[in-house]
């Protein structure tokens, strides 16, 4: 059978995506099940993370967010299941069938579409990790979601609304602003940072009566004055610290963030905290397995009740997976892309 893999070059820009023949192990190990894949979502590959964890391969498997039917395995015969393949997997989620430990899977309600579950499971996990595990979200808090129209941003907004949190969101374009203004439940304030006349810090302080927000989830931080065009709308770290309230939580996705002594001093004076969002840590320790599965089950339940509504592109067939993954890796798509098998 065939799967999608990334052929690693000397630099990340030289990486290429290829369809490659592969085999599924015929013998299952302890607690392993064989899953017939019905849909698989595409997310950007973090090749630097693979390098840091000594997981380098000539061919890196692509597609880990899967949903399908268990064909073989003692625990869940013919159950509809969903899960995320481990970071060190050798199998692509775009194969017709994959072998995975049953402890990485949760059951999918029958009424949910395959592509809907596959497209929401990772962004849902990131939203739960950011809001519950790292920021300790509670009713009455005020949350700022930067780039609220992204797939991750939308699910973060919906999850926060469910828990009674007041939500502010930034929009990177007029189209994003229109989309966010039409969301229901509605966002308290959409801040169009694409408009040079709009100031992110002033807007947040005005909305909170000068107190600042309780939680910030960023989509990256502008580290230098001269940045590529795609990063020019990102906020500076000083701006985020300024709009953060006393005892606030800043959850960042910026891996290379560095704080200068004045930044640390400002955080200290506010008794604020900074956390790095890396959802891959759930697979790093078996001690967290129960909580990880609880989160996955809750995501699926909230999908079935309509609390979480992912933003998806139209399903893509396998023969278009290579081109689609190149677009995802270059961040040329705004909604989540799902391959339907």
């Amino acid at each position: 059978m065939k799967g999608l893999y990334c052929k690693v070059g000397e630099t990340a820009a030289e990486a290429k995506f290829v369809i490659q023949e592969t085999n599924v192990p015929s013998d299952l190990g302890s607690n392993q099940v064989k899953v017939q894949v019905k849909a698989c979502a595409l997310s950007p590959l973090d090749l630097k993370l693979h390098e840091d964890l000594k997981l380098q391969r000539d061919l890196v498997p692509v597609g880990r967010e899967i949903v399908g039917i268990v064909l073989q395995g003692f625990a869940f015969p013919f159950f509809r299941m969903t899960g995320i393949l481990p970071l060190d997997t050798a199998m692509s989620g775009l194969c017709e069938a994959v072998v995975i430990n049953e402890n990485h899977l949760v059951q999918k309600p029958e009424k949910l579409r395959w592509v809907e579950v596959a497209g929401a499971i990772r962004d849902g996990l990131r939203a739960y990790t950011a809001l519950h595990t790292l920021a300790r979200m509670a009713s009455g808090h005020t949350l700022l979601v930067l780039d609220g129209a992204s797939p991750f941003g939308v699910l973060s907004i919906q999850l926060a609304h469910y828990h009674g949190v007041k939500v502010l969101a930034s929009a990177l374009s007029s189209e994003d602003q229109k989309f966010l203004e039409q969301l229901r439940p509605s966002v308290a304030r959409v801040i169009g940072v694409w408009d040079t006349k709009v100031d992110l810090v002033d807007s947040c302080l005005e909305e909170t009566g000068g107190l600042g927000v309780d939680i910030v989830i960023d989509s990256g931080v502008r580290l230098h004055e001269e940045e590529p065009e795609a990063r020019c709308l990102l906020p500076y770290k000083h701006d985020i610290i300024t709009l953060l309230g006393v005892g606030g939580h800043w959850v960042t996705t910026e891996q290379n963030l560095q704080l200068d002594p004045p930044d640390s001093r400002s955080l200290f004076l506010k008794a604020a905290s900074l956390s790095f969002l890396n959802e891959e840590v759930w697979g790093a320790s078996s001690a967290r397995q129960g909580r990880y599965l609880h989160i996955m089950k809750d995501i699926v339940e909230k999908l079935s009740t309509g609390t979480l509504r992912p933003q998806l592109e139209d399903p893509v067939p396998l023969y278009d997976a290579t081109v689609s993954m190149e677009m995802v890796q270059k961040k040329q798509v705004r909604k989540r892309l799902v391959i339907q098998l």
Side-chain angles (χ1 to χ4, degrees):
M1 65 182 67
K2 296 180 179 180
L4 182 63
Y5 292 83
C6 175
K7 195 171 185 179
V8 180
E10 292 186 5
T11 65
E14 296 176 359
K16 295 185 178 181
F17 297 97
V18 295
I19 300 291
Q20 189 83 7
E21 288 287 344
T22 187
N23 296 315
V24 177
S26 55
D27 297 327
L28 300 182
S30 176
N31 296 329
Q32 286 188 325
V33 292
K34 183 178 181 181
V35 178
Q36 178 189 2
V37 180
K38 291 293 187 179
C40 177
L42 299 179
S43 299
L45 275 180
D46 189 343
L47 296 175
K48 182 65 169 62
L49 181 60
H50 281 77
E51 181 182 339
D52 291 341
L53 298 178
K54 312 299 182 187
L55 299 175
Q56 302 102 312
R57 294 188 178 94
D58 292 335
L59 292 174
V60 178
V62 174
R64 295 169 50 214
E65 305 97 276
I66 64 167
V67 59
I69 300 174
V70 174
L71 300 177
Q72 184 181 351
F74 69 91
F76 306 113
F78 306 110
F79 275 15
R80 295 170 173 85
M81 308 295 287
T82 184
I84 300 175
L85 293 172
L87 191 62
D88 61 352
T89 183
M91 303 191 66
S92 165
L94 275 73
C95 295
E96 293 177 10
V98 297
V99 172
I100 181 175
N101 190 299
E102 65 181 12
N103 294 318
H104 291 160
L105 297 172
V106 295
Q107 193 167 357
K108 178 193 88 71
E110 190 170 347
K111 71 176 184 178
L112 285 176
R113 296 183 301 131
W114 301 110
V115 295
E116 185 179 7
V117 178
I121 198 69
R122 174 182 286 275
D123 290 318
L125 177 63
R126 298 186 78 212
Y128 265 79
T129 305
L131 291 172
H132 285 293
T133 308
L134 300 178
R136 305 295 182 183
M137 169 184 64
S139 178
H141 278 167
T142 301
L143 164 70
L144 171 63
V145 179
L146 296 167
D147 190 11
S150 66
F152 166 57
V154 169
L155 291 192
S156 297
I157 290 171
Q158 293 167 351
L159 182 61
H161 274 142
Y162 176 81
H163 288 281
V165 172
K166 178 180 178 180
V167 180
L168 317 179
S170 72
L172 303 186
S173 66
S174 57
E175 293 80 9
D176 285 355
Q177 180 157 353
K178 184 177 180 181
F179 166 76
L180 290 170
E181 289 172 346
Q182 293 173 345
L183 272 183
R184 295 295 179 270
S186 60
V187 176
R189 183 162 183 168
V190 179
I191 304 167
V193 295
W194 56 274
D195 186 346
T196 55
K197 298 178 182 177
V198 175
D199 185 274
L200 177 67
V201 176
D202 290 345
S203 298
C204 290
L205 293 180
E206 179 183 336
E207 189 65 34
T208 59
L211 298 176
V213 300
D214 299 296
I215 304 169
V216 178
I217 301 177
D218 70 38
S219 58
V221 177
R222 187 169 178 177
L223 303 176
H224 310 287
E225 193 69 35
E226 297 296 329
E227 289 271 20
E229 184 178 353
R231 293 179 58 87
C232 283
L233 294 179
L234 296 176
Y236 289 102
K237 56 187 176 182
H238 176 72
D239 293 336
I240 296 178
I241 294 172
T242 302
L243 59 84
L244 199 61
V246 172
H249 301 276
W250 173 14
V251 180
T252 184
T253 60
E254 184 58 61
Q255 300 179 18
N256 299 316
L257 180 68
Q258 295 182 355
L259 294 183
D260 299 320
D263 302 323
S264 298
R265 181 65 181 174
S266 296
L267 288 172
F268 166 76
L269 291 174
K270 294 185 176 187
S273 66
L274 169 65
S275 302
F276 288 87
L277 177 58
N278 176 16
E279 71 279 7
E280 300 295 352
V281 298
W282 291 110
S285 172
S286 58
R288 290 178 168 262
Q289 192 69 35
R291 191 171 183 182
Y292 172 57
L293 290 178
H294 174 76
I295 291 173
M296 301 275 275
K297 288 178 183 177
D298 205 42
I299 292 168
V300 173
E301 288 174 6
K302 284 183 170 54
L303 283 171
S304 64
T305 60
T307 301
L308 298 180
R309 303 174 303 281
Q311 299 299 306
L312 307 175
E313 296 282 1
D314 292 333
V316 177
L318 181 60
Y319 58 79
D320 280 338
T322 303
V323 175
S324 298
M325 187 59 202
E326 289 175 353
M327 294 171 61
V328 170
Q329 191 70 12
K330 295 176 182 177
K331 300 182 179 179
Q332 295 175 344
V333 290
R334 289 293 288 161
K335 297 181 180 180
R336 182 64 65 211
L337 265 174
V338 180
I339 305 297
Q340 191 165 22
L341 283 76

